Amino acid sequence: MKVTIREEVLQYQDQIIEAWLEQVQTFRQDESLKNISASVYESTSREFIDKLLITLQQDVVADTELNQFVEKLIQMGWPLNFITRGLQEFRKASVKIVAENSDEFSSKIEFFQDIENWVDEVVNLLVDQYSGSWENTVFLQKMALKELSAPLIPVFDKISVMPLVGTIDTERAKLIMENLLEGVIEHRSQVVLIDITGVPVVDTMVAHHIIQASEAVRLVGATCILVGIRPEIAQTIVNLGIDLGKFPTKSTLKKGVETALAMTKREIIETEA
Amino acid sequence: MQVQTHVDINSEWGIVAARQAGRKLAREIGFGSVDQARITTAISELARNIYLYANQGQIKIEEVADSNKRGMKIIASDEGPGIRDVRRVMEDGFTTSGGLGAGLPGVKRLMDEFDIDSELDSGTVITAVKWLR
Ligand SMILES: Nc1ncnc2c1ncn2[C@@H]1O[C@H](COP(=O)(O)OP(=O)(O)OP(=O)(O)O)[C@@H](O)[C@H]1O
Ligand SMILES: [Mg+2]
């Protein structure tokens, strides 16, 4: 922003702040903001305008206290809406008040453009900061979900369990296959129990992936047992005409574990206390 | 008025959304858990076929009533490549995508009524009904 215009805005800053705070109160009742307490809203608004005016006095907009302030808002989950509306109001208030007070500037289009450009720059920067943090969050959640989505858990020596919970899409089907094969080799599993109790729909795609995964597991020298087939799922599998005949299945995880122990020549016995 | 829902299928999320809408309506109509699973699975097959072979399309589900029975109808429509030989795709094991080829014959067995209307290069409409008993 040009020095002359900057000085002009700063000269009337008290009036601008006053007008701005008044406007900011008007969108206090917005859906996204109404759960914030009045005192927090007030103090945050004040801090926002302070940081904005500090930034105005600097030549660059990036890496300022304003960024740190916005970072704090992101952490606390404030809506982006507060920032963009706040900046719009700041533009309106400064244009109006400077124009009212200074004949010299009110007539110059350059003045309006300068304020406009500065506010745009700040908006772009802060929106980037916000969306960057969202993308980051979405990315982290995706990673977390990915880790959760097909875990292979070694429960006994030579026996592992893969509990599947939720919808199986193509990406997840791929993970199931990868994790099964890697895990079987890493844990030296001989028997893997795939538990589908938590899978809401077993259609031909899911069945196909499970069949393929178990064939792959067989090729690395282990056996898959499918457990947790709910009665209604058993019926739909039969209706679909999918042949699980050569596929070991058990109704519950408990029965599967017993079978797996038997297959590895072990059993659970009760000891005397 | 009878309930009617449309779900656009253009990604795997659409398939999940159609299934959920289908399960909800099936439950509301009063289907038991096995029939709910059958209906949901049928929707899943038809929606996935749309996604795989036509890229996009629509699943419409609605409650239907005859003089003495009630049920649920699924209409899966797309403007994709169409099906050349309707009789062949109804054979168990016929697939052009390396799948199990169990989807369409499976849907026919899962539901009570089943009909394919398909024209090459202009699209496919598959209608299936399950009656409440
Ligand atoms: N909406 C459609 N448009 C065009 N072709 C279709 C459509 N639906 C099915 N087909 C064709 O019919 C074939 C059989 O479909 P079906 O659903 O029975 O088996 P699949 O999709 O190949 O395998 P699965 O459903 O067992 O995973 C498909 O391979 C495809 O060539
Ligand atoms: Mg199919």
Side-chain angles (χ1 to χ4, degrees), chain A residues 200-241:
Chain A
V201 176
V202 178
D203 57 10
T204 54
M205 187 206 74
V206 172
H208 193 203
H209 281 297
I210 290 175
I211 291 171
Q212 280 182 327
S214 86
E215 267 161 17
V217 164
R218 200 167 47 85
L219 289 178
V220 296
T223 306
C224 263
I225 302 180
L226 194 59
V227 303
I229 305 174
R230 286 172 277 128
E232 68 271 23
I233 299 294
Q235 296 248 25
T236 55
I237 290 178
V238 170
N239 286 148
L240 284 171

Side-chain angles (χ1 to χ4, degrees), chain A residues 167-171 200-205 207-208 211-212 230-233 235-242, chain B residues 12-13 15-16 19-20 23 33-34 37-38 40-41 44-45 48 51 92 98-100 102-103 105-107 109-110:
Chain A
T167 295
I168 296 177
D169 58 8
T170 333
E171 186 172 342
V201 176
V202 178
D203 57 10
T204 54
M205 187 206 74
H208 193 203
I211 291 171
Q212 280 182 327
R230 286 172 277 128
E232 68 271 23
I233 299 294
Q235 296 248 25
T236 55
I237 290 178
V238 170
N239 286 148
L240 284 171
I242 295 166
Chain B
E12 287 198 279
W13 293 111
I15 302 173
V16 176
R19 286 190 333 210
Q20 282 171 352
R23 191 187 290 279
S33 66
V34 176
R38 287 191 174 113
T40 313
T41 308
S44 189
E45 296 300 340
R48 187 170 301 279
Y51 173 66
D92 276 298
L100 290 176
V107 172
R109 285 186 294 259
L110 287 164

Side-chain angles (χ1 to χ4, degrees), chain A residues 204, chain B residues 45 49 53 78 82-83 89 94-97 100-105 124:
Chain A
T204 54
Chain B
E45 296 300 340
N49 281 356
Y53 308 116
D78 65 65
I83 295 174
V89 298
F94 177 81
T95 175
T96 57
S97 65
L100 290 176
L104 290 178
T124 304

Side-chain angles (χ1 to χ4, degrees), chain A residues 25 28 33-45:
Chain A
Q25 279 302 327
R28 159 111 181 79
L33 295 167
K34 69 170 188 247
N35 289 329
I36 297 164
S37 82
S39 64
V40 171
Y41 193 82
E42 165 95 36
S43 64
T44 308
S45 301

Side-chain angles (χ1 to χ4, degrees), chain B residues 3-114:
Chain B
V3 197
Q4 216 189 50
T5 311
H6 299 245
V7 179
D8 285 328
I9 308 297
N10 45 35
S11 70
E12 287 198 279
W13 293 111
I15 302 173
V16 176
R19 286 190 333 210
Q20 282 171 352
R23 191 187 290 279
K24 181 164 170 279
L25 183 60
R27 197 188 305 128
E28 282 165 8
I29 293 175
F31 284 104
S33 66
V34 176
D35 277 345
Q36 281 178 33
R38 287 191 174 113
I39 291 168
T40 313
T41 308
I43 292 175
S44 189
E45 296 300 340
L46 297 175
R48 187 170 301 279
N49 281 356
I50 290 177
Y51 173 66
L52 281 179
Y53 308 116
N55 281 321
Q56 54 181 321
Q58 206 183 46
I59 296 278
K60 194 160 93 183
I61 50 172
E62 61 189 33
E63 188 181 340
V64 283
D66 204 348
S67 52
N68 53 0
K69 50 189 178 180
R70 286 199 312 138
M72 181 167 159
K73 187 191 249 180
I74 310 167
I75 303 164
S77 56
D78 65 65
E79 293 171 6
I83 295 174
R84 183 180 298 278
D85 186 344
V86 174
R87 201 163 334 144
R88 274 203 85 189
V89 298
M90 293 312 292
E91 286 168 16
D92 276 298
F94 177 81
T95 175
T96 57
S97 65
L100 290 176
L104 290 178
V107 172
K108 186 168 182 184
R109 285 186 294 259
L110 287 164
M111 304 292 285
D112 296 323
E113 285 173 25
F114 181 88

Side-chain angles (χ1 to χ4, degrees), chain A residues 7-244:
Chain A
E7 278 169 356
E8 205 68 18
V9 172
L10 289 172
Q11 190 188 331
Y12 299 108
Q13 60 170 292
D14 291 343
Q15 283 179 48
I16 293 175
I17 292 176
E18 200 183 317
W20 185 82
L21 284 171
E22 200 176 302
Q23 283 310 310
V24 164
Q25 279 302 327
T26 63
F27 51 86
R28 159 111 181 79
Q29 288 309 319
D30 273 18
E31 198 52 42
S32 56
L33 295 167
K34 69 170 188 247
N35 289 329
I36 297 164
S37 82
S39 64
V40 171
Y41 193 82
E42 165 95 36
S43 64
T44 308
S45 301
R46 278 190 186 278
E47 197 179 346
F48 183 23
I49 190 78
D50 274 355
K51 302 294 184 213
L52 210 52
L53 288 164
I54 292 172
T55 306
L56 185 70
Q57 293 165 52
Q58 296 169 344
D59 293 322
V60 285
V61 181
D63 279 327
T64 56
E65 284 179 48
L66 186 61
N67 287 108
Q68 289 164 24
F69 168 71
V70 165
E71 200 56 48
K72 204 173 77 183
L73 290 189
I74 293 174
Q75 298 299 332
M76 297 191 307
W78 276 62
L80 173 59
N81 172 293
F82 174 74
I83 305 273
T84 50
R85 296 270 314 252
L87 282 161
Q88 285 164 7
E89 295 304 335
F90 177 76
R91 186 191 58 210
K92 282 188 217 154
S94 25
V95 166
K96 180 163 171 279
I97 284 162
V98 174
E100 274 169 12
N101 288 288
S102 158
D103 295 337
E104 190 197 340
F105 282 99
S106 59
S107 56
K108 284 195 189 141
I109 183 125
E110 185 198 3
F111 160 72
F112 296 102
Q113 268 173 356
D114 220 22
I115 290 198
E116 197 100 329
N117 289 346
W118 186 80
V119 169
D120 283 350
E121 192 185 343
V122 177
V123 168
N124 286 342
L125 191 86
L126 299 186
V127 168
D128 275 354
Q129 200 179 339
Y130 252 86
S131 63
S133 106
W134 283 325
E135 277 156 21
N136 197 28
T137 309
V138 170
F139 174 75
L140 290 176
Q141 285 178 344
K142 238 185 172 165
M143 291 305 287
L145 208 61
K146 199 168 162 180
E147 278 176 8
L148 275 175
S149 70
L152 189 75
I153 306 160
V155 286
F156 289 108
D157 192 26
K158 299 177 200 153
I159 300 173
S160 299
V161 176
M162 181 176 277
L164 298 175
V165 179
T167 295
I168 296 177
D169 58 8
T170 333
E171 186 172 342
R172 198 154 169 224
K174 229 184 299 163
L175 273 179
I176 292 174
M177 178 72 100
E178 283 168 16
N179 292 357
L180 262 180
L181 291 178
E182 268 171 32
V184 162
I185 291 163
E186 186 187 327
H187 307 309
R188 296 195 169 77
S189 312
Q190 283 181 15
V191 186
V192 187
L193 303 157
I194 302 181
D195 184 359
I196 59 164
T197 313
V199 179
V201 176
V202 178
D203 57 10
T204 54
M205 187 206 74
V206 172
H208 193 203
H209 281 297
I210 290 175
I211 291 171
Q212 280 182 327
S214 86
E215 267 161 17
V217 164
R218 200 167 47 85
L219 289 178
V220 296
T223 306
C224 263
I225 302 180
L226 194 59
V227 303
I229 305 174
R230 286 172 277 128
E232 68 271 23
I233 299 294
Q235 296 248 25
T236 55
I237 290 178
V238 170
N239 286 148
L240 284 171
I242 295 166
D243 181 15
L244 290 180

